[in-house]
Amino acid sequence: MRTLLFRSLIATPLSQPLPPGPEVALDTLATCLDGAARRRLGRSLAIRALDAGSCNGCELELNALSNAFYDLERFGLRFVASPRHADVLLVTGPVTANMREALARTYQAMPGPKWVVAAGACAIDGGAFAGSYAVLGGAAAGVPVDLRLPGCPPRPHELLRGLLALMDPPRRHDAGDPPGDRAAPRSA
Amino acid sequence: MGALEDLLASGAPVAGPAPWPRVVLDAVGWTAIGEALAEGALSLAALWGEADAVHAALLDETAASLAVATLACPDGRFPSLGRRHAAAIRPERAIRDLFGLVAEAAPDARPWLDHGCWAARQPLGRALPQEPAAPYAFLPAEGEGLHRMAVGPVHAGIIEPGHFRFAVNGETVVRLETRLGYAHKGIEALMQGATIERAAGLAGRTSGDSTVAYALAFARAAEAALGVAVPARAHWLRALMAELERLANHFGDIGAICNDAGFALMLAHCAILRERVLRTADHCFGHRLMRDLVVPGGVALDLEAPAAASVRDLLAEIHRQFPRLIALYEGTASLQDRTCGTGIVAPGLARRFAAGGYVGRASGRDFDARRMPGYQPYGQLRFEVPVFERGDVDARVWVRIREVEQSLSLLAQILQAMPPGAIRVNLPPGGGEGMALVEGFRGDIFAWLSLDAAGRVRRCHLRDPSWFHWPLVEAAIEGNIVADFPLCNKSFNCSYSGHDL
């Protein structure tokens, strides 16, 4: 274990700046939150992820956000275990009839102000499962949605860019210089 | 004569199904299946319904043969197999929920997938209006000092929805009961009447971590139904994708299991390897999970030479890094203390439930669908199927470690020997009935597909390996401490979506 830790200490970091995304898409993403909401959130965002019946593809990519390449905590983003600690409910999957109540209760358990992000094609409108007797539709079928992140599943950097748009007008990230890096420079 | 041959001889064969036969049995023959399953002469590969019939896919592991038995249920009833064979209980409950067919004398008559939330009951059979759902009656656990813990369907981590009901005595789990169905999306209903292309897309969205394996199972069933021969290169590309998928998932699992034992370092390093696999997949095929790339008739994209080089680079990087992680796993006593002897599945139980994948192979069940019944191109590749006997969390980790090594070898062989040529053929018009058994990272996935004369899906059933893993989670945790449940559960890493359909 010592060798491995030592190697990690001298190795260059794997974390990468966020690649710039298409400008138009970012503008659309950012329109949902006004300045006051952004000031309330400050530089940090506590996210409660909720699978409302997805195929599990979106969860895999959400989990990838925590790996060394994306390292979402450097941006002030973190996943929390309880809805009572969350600013944002991040919903994946279509809302199944069997998950409707759990989704509503999770949303109710969150303190205000709160926002809902629908991540992935299914959470936007039910995706491939729209029209089924067992599916109510996208996340909006259960909770009010503030931000939609398309993809099947969305790539990790697309998820990151969307979540950052909640905190910050997106153009400021175009230089690929995340605020977290500026605030807390990495030390050896 | 083998048990399966006896069974086939007692029924009326149906013309058409490929590559395995299907016979129609009477109630006596159907009951005999239950006996053969209970005796261990046959393994249950799948059990599913239609509006007026039930089907059981049966595997004779000694004779290396598979067949499907059908029983018509004109009066909406059939003799329960679950009465004699526990692995059939949940599928029978699901059949009742979806089709309204009742398993007579079944040991468990509670609903399974139907939580009383759908617009109608038995949506795939003769639909009935919904009724107010009675509270779900969890199995009892009685005694002094017992208390109950309810967990889910929303869990603390970023995982799928399901409910766990524990009865505990102090720290010790006396009984765990899982309640699933929260992720039920009605995939089988959406498939009915769909085009093959649309149904293939749904199959690839049945369980996101196994999108290649599901798409492959569906594609092979469709090709069997239509009698299509896929170009050789397509088989090899499919195997390349399937092994990349296996690698990515095994890295994710090994890291996550160790993390659930409080050893985050392993997760950090395994997550890097997983990410490298996904990035390579993205580079090669334009999608990190390789979704919608295996299609009926072949594959959607070819592997270009520079992309093949990136797979070689990936293999080299894993060969550099992974041995250090194995040494870390083996050499960390505090981690081994958590994984060894925890969450044991007895070999007899794994056999009875015909548990596939690392769950079965960690408990001595030497089965791998790539080898038996086998499919292209694995017959031309050298690989071993690692089998352990101890059945604990540690054994399930070791199966994965050894399978990573095997997948690395398979990928190298595939890159070496992949034939040139076409990657896709057009599907002929017409219908048919086909089946497939494909080894996903989690275990064998069974697909059964019936196409009508217009080439649309009449019925399709996809059986996730988790159907036979979930009951074993309940068995494995008994007598363990609550704090070890995440560890045990992650070592199974059952699919919720694949199970709930």
Side-chain angles (χ1 to χ4, degrees):
Chain A
M1 192 187 325
R2 269 173 303 182
T3 326
L4 201 70
L5 288 171
F6 183 68
R7 276 178 201 281
S8 306
L9 206 61
I10 56 171
T12 48
L14 292 169
S15 58
Q16 298 166 331
L18 196 58
E23 190 80 20
V24 182
L26 284 174
D27 283 345
T28 334
L29 290 177
T31 50
C32 63
L33 284 193
D34 59 15
R38 283 203 193 90
R39 275 197 299 282
R40 281 200 193 118
L41 287 168
R43 292 237 67 86
S44 106
L45 206 59
I47 306 159
R48 170 65 243 206
L50 186 141
D51 176 344
S54 89
C55 76
N56 197 28
C58 290
E59 286 67 50
L60 297 175
E61 296 299 52
L62 287 175
N63 277 312
L65 291 179
S66 297
N67 74 32
F69 293 88
Y70 304 105
D71 187 20
L72 88 166
E73 296 219 8
R74 71 192 152 130
F75 297 101
L77 303 168
R78 71 203 158 92
F79 290 111
V80 293
S82 170
R84 301 204 187 278
H85 304 157
D87 307 307
V88 169
L89 183 65
L90 194 156
V91 182
T92 55
V95 178
T96 64
N98 290 351
M99 276 302 285
R100 183 213 315 245
E101 189 184 344
L103 172 64
R105 284 207 209 175
T106 304
Y107 181 73
Q108 283 157 18
M110 289 169 64
K114 52 189 171 186
W115 291 271
V116 176
V117 176
C122 296
I124 289 176
D125 61 5
F129 308 106
S132 162
Y133 64 88
V135 166
L136 306 177
V143 288
V145 173
D146 300 291
L147 177 64
R148 293 172 175 82
L149 302 176
C152 183
R155 288 156 190 272
H157 69 252
E158 290 165 351
L159 289 165
L160 262 183
R161 201 181 299 130
L163 291 169
L164 289 172
L166 275 176
M167 293 200 294
D168 221 8
R171 278 183 205 84
R172 282 161 57 181
H173 292 290
D174 282 1
D177 187 14
D181 279 5
R182 251 195 319 255
R186 194 188 171 92
S187 57
Chain B
M1 239 167 50
L4 200 58
E5 287 175 51
D6 288 347
L7 204 80
L8 291 175
S10 71
V14 176
W20 302 301
R22 182 162 71 86
V23 295
V24 177
L25 300 177
D26 56 15
V28 175
W30 186 263
T31 311
I33 298 176
E35 300 305 318
L37 290 170
E39 288 161 12
L42 293 175
S43 300
L44 187 65
L47 177 59
W48 70 101
E50 284 195 72
D52 50 9
V54 284
H55 306 279
L58 302 160
L59 187 67
D60 185 335
E61 294 181 43
T62 44
S65 56
L66 202 149
V68 174
T70 299
L71 174 69
C73 314
D75 54 353
R77 312 182 80 78
F78 63 97
S80 166
L81 298 181
R83 196 173 62 82
R84 298 284 286 129
H85 185 63
I89 294 175
R90 285 179 179 175
E92 286 179 351
R93 291 167 70 186
I95 289 170
R96 182 176 188 162
D97 287 353
L98 297 176
F99 300 95
L101 304 176
V102 178
E104 285 178 305
D108 192 339
R110 294 174 297 168
W112 181 237
L113 300 177
D114 185 354
H115 295 194
C117 302
W118 305 334
R121 288 189 293 140
Q122 49 198 61
L124 279 91
R126 292 168 195 85
L128 295 177
Q130 189 55 263
E131 290 171 357
Y136 190 76
F138 285 95
L139 298 173
E142 289 165 4
E144 203 176 339
L146 290 188
H147 70 279
R148 291 192 172 243
M149 284 168 50
V151 180
V154 179
H155 299 281
I158 306 172
I159 57 169
E160 299 182 80
H163 183 87
F164 301 112
R165 186 62 62 99
F166 296 90
V168 294
N169 189 340
E171 273 297 305
T172 307
V173 178
V174 176
R175 167 172 255 169
L176 162 68
E177 192 182 358
T178 48
R179 189 186 184 200
L180 302 173
Y182 291 94
H184 178 76
K185 293 178 273 294
I187 289 175
E188 297 193 3
L190 288 168
M191 281 191 173
Q192 285 184 184
T195 61
I196 291 180
E197 293 74 25
R198 156 83 171 142
L202 284 165
R205 284 161 181 76
T206 302
S207 181
D209 49 22
S210 304
T211 182
V212 173
Y214 265 96
L216 180 56
F218 181 87
R220 291 190 62 86
E223 288 148 11
L226 296 169
V228 173
V230 170
R233 186 173 175 82
H235 285 302
W236 288 70
L237 285 166
R238 287 171 170 190
L240 179 93
M241 294 179 200
E243 297 309 320
L244 284 173
E245 181 174 87
R246 199 180 319 278
L247 272 186
N249 283 307
H250 279 352
F251 285 137
D253 279 1
I254 294 166
I257 293 167
C258 295
N259 191 54
D260 277 347
F263 196 66
L265 181 64
M266 194 74 167
L267 174 66
H269 282 278
C270 285
I272 291 170
L273 293 183
R274 175 181 163 84
E275 179 67 21
R276 290 199 192 282
V277 177
L278 298 187
R279 288 180 175 208
T280 304
D282 196 12
H283 180 67
C284 293
F285 302 109
H287 194 287
R288 286 161 55 86
L289 304 179
M290 296 171 285
R291 184 161 269 171
D292 298 330
L293 287 161
V294 175
V295 292
V299 291
L301 280 177
D302 204 348
L303 182 75
E304 307 298 335
S310 76
V311 179
R312 286 195 187 89
D313 292 345
L314 172 76
L315 299 184
E317 172 66 10
I318 296 171
H319 276 300
R320 267 194 301 277
Q321 302 298 340
F322 195 53
R324 290 176 192 149
L325 300 183
I326 303 173
L328 180 64
Y329 178 76
E330 274 185 304
T332 307
S334 59
L335 179 59
Q336 299 269 308
D337 183 45
R338 295 291 302 281
T339 59
C340 293
T342 305
I344 294 172
V345 175
L349 204 54
R351 247 195 330 274
R352 270 172 58 200
F353 277 76
Y358 42 74
V359 175
R361 293 195 279 273
S363 294
R365 184 168 180 259
D366 188 3
F367 180 83
D368 188 318
R370 292 174 293 177
R371 195 179 53 190
M372 197 282 277
Y375 48 94
Q376 287 198 62
Y378 291 100
Q380 299 162 64
L381 298 168
R382 294 178 310 282
F383 67 105
E384 288 167 18
V385 178
V387 177
F388 292 77
E389 300 289 333
R390 294 186 310 278
D392 55 1
V393 172
D394 179 60
R396 289 187 284 279
V397 171
W398 273 109
V399 171
R400 289 171 168 102
I401 290 174
R402 293 289 171 241
E403 287 185 8
V404 163
E405 294 165 350
Q406 293 302 315
S407 288
L408 292 175
S409 156
L410 283 167
L411 284 165
Q413 294 175 54
I414 290 167
L415 290 173
Q416 182 75 34
M418 184 155 24
I423 58 162
R424 191 172 183 177
V425 291
N426 289 328
L427 298 179
E433 182 180 333
M435 298 165 234
L437 195 69
V438 161
E439 190 73 21
F441 89 98
R442 189 177 272 122
D444 48 287
I445 295 166
F446 176 79
W448 174 79
L449 175 66
S450 167
L451 297 168
D452 65 19
R456 287 184 173 258
V457 176
R458 197 183 65 76
R459 264 290 283 141
C460 177
H461 178 70
L462 302 166
R463 193 271 300 142
D464 194 271
S466 302
W467 275 101
F468 304 131
H469 290 176
W470 277 116
L472 300 183
V473 174
E474 295 178 1
I477 190 65
E478 196 181 311
N480 285 254
I481 59 172
V482 176
D484 277 341
F485 174 69
L487 181 62
C488 289
N489 194 32
K490 186 51 81 175
S491 75
F492 283 79
N493 189 17
C494 297
S495 171
Y496 299 68
S497 181
H499 168 282
D500 294 351
L501 280 174

